[in-house]
Amino acid sequence: MSAYTNSVNPGEAGMGRAVAWLQSASAEVWVKFLLALVGLGLAFGAALLSTASGEAGHLWASVLLASLALLMAAFVGLVTVPFLARRVAVERLRQTFHYEVTKAGVVYVLVTLVIGIAALNTGNNLLYIVVAAMLAAILVSGLVSAMGLRSLELEVRLPEHVFAGRPVVGGIVLRNPRRFLPSFSIRVLPARKDKKRKARKQWRWERTTFVFPLNRAPENQWVRLRDWKVRWIEVLPPPPGIFEGMIYFPYLPPGSDLTADLELCFERRGLYRESSFGVATRFPFAFLTKTRDVALEREILVYPTVEPPDELFEILPLVRGEWESFVRGRGSDLYRIREYMPEDSARHVDWKATAKSGSLKVREFSREDERKLCIVFDNPAAGVVSERAYERAVNLAASLAWHFSEQDAEVSFVVPGHGRGTDLHEFLARLAVIEPRGNPQAGEELRDGMLREVRRKVSQEDVLRGIDLGTTGEYNIILTARPRGSLPTALWNCSYFVFVGNDPV
């Protein structure tokens, strides 16, 4: 250990830090700045020499030096100044402030105006001093609030699994990295401007193909060129925000961070997102509410509620009864002793029970895969069922999945557009964002051609026929809105159907 320590030269460590700094973005800014100073200094010197040469009567030397000064100044202006200006613009954008005048600030400004008018009319020096002090207070308020908000760092911690209707607790961490300057009366709030989040329409350019003649087949058209067209489309509103209200920090010491609990409760399933947050303050005089935007994107997926609804208690006894009938078969565990049937094998006859009862008795065994269960959500098309019935069906599917996953059973899940899965939270995540097939709001995160392709595949897929549920050895619980006569016959012997309709499920 000592040999290693001695081998590290402080000079080499310092050289390494210097090299790392030279490779950073800050070094590039300083190099550009110093080059700009050197270039402008040389241009200024050339301009002075040009003036001196002109006074001495050296005309051509004066012209050459003046041209050189202009070229060096133009070079600095074209190469260095735009780069530095972009850096300043980015930094200012990063530290964007929004102002909102409070009621106290309005009253204060009105009083200042009245005293200022009185000072102009009377010429009283004392009134001028009072007005100057009041205007200085406004300036000090703006500077102090900006200093208190600048450089604050924000972190939002959200729980991994969230269910609709269940309160959960997240966390907001506010950090003050400054060494000496504290912050006072800081509020953290969502930075959304569009609280109502309504759908709006706008023009959008889309790729297309210019063809001629129009009424011919593609292979017989003379002209096929890439083209653009503009369409008036409806833009879906962004997902709802994560939280409303604000979190208050009365005092944030320098070089420290504070954590506050964030209580969340979502009434509906779906995706919730915040694209940015704001840190605001009214310190010190409450004349202005100054807010600084913090670019911090957070999203949370809210699962459907898994609280057992009334429909669950109604269908559970029926499901268990039919499941028990299905699991009777050949296996290693004795299920029951019953009367002999013509289709039974003679090797399953229980001779002791036959001798006692005087009639043939056979032993019936439980299946080895008796704990296998598959829950299928057969997503209906848009308009087949009402929105309320659809949400009730989604919640019932989530409740069934949650209930049987807590039992000693091997459960799998099927949703149209996805393969068979065994992960409960993956199934709940799919139910969280699922919409009726063909709904224009379905898959709002997808866009344009990708969205149309996904919808085409889902609409062509028949979840009941595409996956051979009847031969997997599982018992199936299928939530569907199809008519009874349209269901595959092979599924009736190994499935329990929950028919989704406008009436209670």
Side-chain angles (χ1 to χ4, degrees):
M1 185 68 181
S2 60
Y4 175 77
T5 304
N6 294 332
S7 64
V8 179
N9 191 345
E12 294 180 359
M15 183 65 68
R17 287 194 296 269
V19 171
W21 182 83
L22 288 175
Q23 295 176 351
S24 64
S26 300
E28 185 180 4
V29 174
W30 279 104
V31 169
K32 294 281 187 181
F33 176 70
L34 293 176
L35 287 177
L37 290 181
V38 172
L40 292 176
L42 292 176
F44 182 72
L48 291 178
L49 291 176
S50 173
T51 303
S53 299
E55 292 178 354
H58 303 294
L59 180 61
W60 288 107
S62 177
V63 171
L64 290 176
L65 289 172
S67 301
L68 181 62
L70 289 175
L71 288 175
M72 286 191 293
F75 178 79
V76 171
L78 293 175
V79 175
T80 309
V81 173
F83 174 79
L84 298 176
R86 283 196 302 269
R87 294 286 301 185
V88 173
V90 169
E91 186 64 26
R92 289 198 173 188
L93 183 62
R94 192 178 302 165
Q95 300 284 350
T96 302
F97 290 98
H98 302 284
Y99 302 89
E100 181 180 351
V101 182
T102 63
K103 293 182 179 180
V106 172
V107 173
Y108 186 85
V109 171
L110 292 177
V111 172
T112 304
L113 288 176
V114 171
I115 298 177
I117 294 173
L120 291 174
N121 291 333
T122 61
N124 191 326
N125 291 334
L126 181 59
L127 292 180
Y128 281 114
I129 295 174
V130 172
V131 171
M134 296 180 72
L135 293 176
I138 297 176
L139 180 61
V140 169
S141 175
L143 292 176
V144 171
S145 59
M147 293 173 61
L149 294 178
R150 200 175 299 275
S151 301
L152 293 183
E153 299 175 0
L154 183 65
E155 182 181 354
V156 180
R157 300 170 181 173
L158 300 175
E160 183 178 2
H161 302 297
V162 181
F163 296 88
R166 283 189 178 181
V168 293
V169 177
I172 288 185
V173 181
L174 189 62
R175 186 175 296 107
N176 184 4
R178 296 168 300 199
R179 299 179 59 184
F180 304 107
L181 186 63
S183 296
F184 299 90
S185 187
I186 304 297
R187 295 182 295 164
V188 178
L189 64 161
R192 299 189 302 272
K193 304 298 185 300
D194 49 341
K195 299 294 184 179
K196 296 183 179 180
R197 294 177 175 258
K198 295 182 179 179
R200 55 188 177 87
K201 291 188 176 183
Q202 69 177 20
W203 294 102
R204 174 178 293 180
W205 288 94
E206 293 184 354
R207 287 185 178 272
T208 185
T209 304
F210 174 79
V211 297
F212 182 82
L214 298 177
N215 55 353
R216 291 189 179 184
E219 60 273 9
N220 297 328
Q221 290 172 340
W222 301 343
V223 180
R224 292 185 62 86
L225 300 174
R226 289 184 179 181
D227 197 5
W228 290 85
K229 67 178 180 179
V230 63
R231 292 180 55 196
W232 181 251
I233 63 172
E234 182 176 355
V235 180
L236 296 176
I242 293 177
F243 79 103
E244 303 290 341
M246 60 92 178
I247 305 296
Y248 183 68
F249 296 88
Y251 174 69
L252 184 61
S256 63
D257 55 76
L258 297 178
T259 303
D261 291 337
L262 180 62
E263 296 183 0
L264 304 172
C265 185
F266 304 93
E267 297 298 328
R268 293 176 59 86
R269 63 183 178 91
L271 181 67
Y272 293 77
R273 176 183 298 154
E274 292 288 353
S275 58
S276 63
F277 295 82
V279 286
T281 184
R282 293 184 177 183
F283 183 81
F285 304 128
F287 296 153
L288 297 172
T289 299
K290 184 173 292 187
T291 305
R292 181 172 72 88
D293 289 342
V294 179
L296 184 65
E297 186 171 347
R298 289 290 184 270
E299 64 180 24
I300 188 170
L301 193 62
V302 179
Y303 301 148
T305 179
V306 293
E307 300 298 331
D310 296 336
E311 293 86 356
L312 182 65
F313 296 110
E314 294 175 3
I315 69 174
L316 273 182
L318 303 176
V319 171
R320 292 188 179 279
E322 294 196 12
W323 195 7
E324 281 193 19
S325 300
F326 174 73
V327 300
R328 293 185 308 225
R330 296 176 182 176
S332 57
D333 297 331
L334 180 64
Y335 181 74
R336 67 172 181 173
I337 298 176
R338 59 172 176 80
E339 295 290 336
Y340 175 81
M341 303 293 290
E343 64 270 13
D344 292 331
S345 175
R347 62 190 181 93
H348 290 150
V349 175
D350 191 322
W351 298 108
K352 291 184 178 181
T354 299
K356 291 181 179 179
S357 61
S359 59
L360 282 176
K361 301 288 185 181
V362 295
R363 288 171 290 177
E364 191 173 284
F365 298 92
S366 61
R367 296 166 59 107
E368 294 178 356
D369 55 355
E370 62 175 347
R371 303 305 297 175
K372 287 186 176 181
L373 181 68
C374 181
I375 299 176
V376 183
F377 185 81
D378 184 20
N379 193 25
V384 174
V385 297
S386 64
E387 181 181 357
R388 181 179 179 184
Y390 186 83
E391 291 298 324
R392 195 162 53 239
V394 172
N395 293 339
L396 180 58
S399 299
L400 287 169
W402 187 264
H403 173 80
F404 285 106
S405 296
E406 291 183 336
Q407 309 297 320
D408 186 16
E410 183 180 342
V411 187
S412 60
F413 313 98
V414 176
V415 177
H418 304 278
R420 182 191 299 267
T422 57
D423 187 87
L424 172 63
H425 292 102
E426 182 179 344
F427 177 66
L428 294 176
R430 292 169 180 171
L431 290 181
V433 295
I434 197 170
E435 297 288 345
R437 287 184 292 112
N439 191 336
Q441 294 182 353
E444 64 180 14
E445 295 302 310
L446 303 175
R447 289 294 181 264
D448 304 333
M450 185 186 298
L451 177 58
R452 290 192 295 270
E453 180 67 17
V454 170
R455 288 179 182 168
R456 182 184 65 81
K457 290 181 179 180
V458 173
S459 63
Q460 292 178 352
E461 179 184 4
D462 190 337
V463 68
L464 301 186
R465 291 184 172 87
I467 302 177
D468 193 4
L469 297 171
T471 59
T472 58
E474 296 175 319
Y475 187 73
N476 312 297
I477 302 177
I478 303 175
L479 293 91
T480 182
R482 306 187 191 194
R484 295 175 181 267
S486 65
L487 298 172
T489 307
L491 295 179
W492 285 96
N493 295 328
C494 61
S495 305
Y496 180 86
F497 289 93
V498 180
F499 291 95
V500 180
N502 293 329
D503 296 327
V505 178

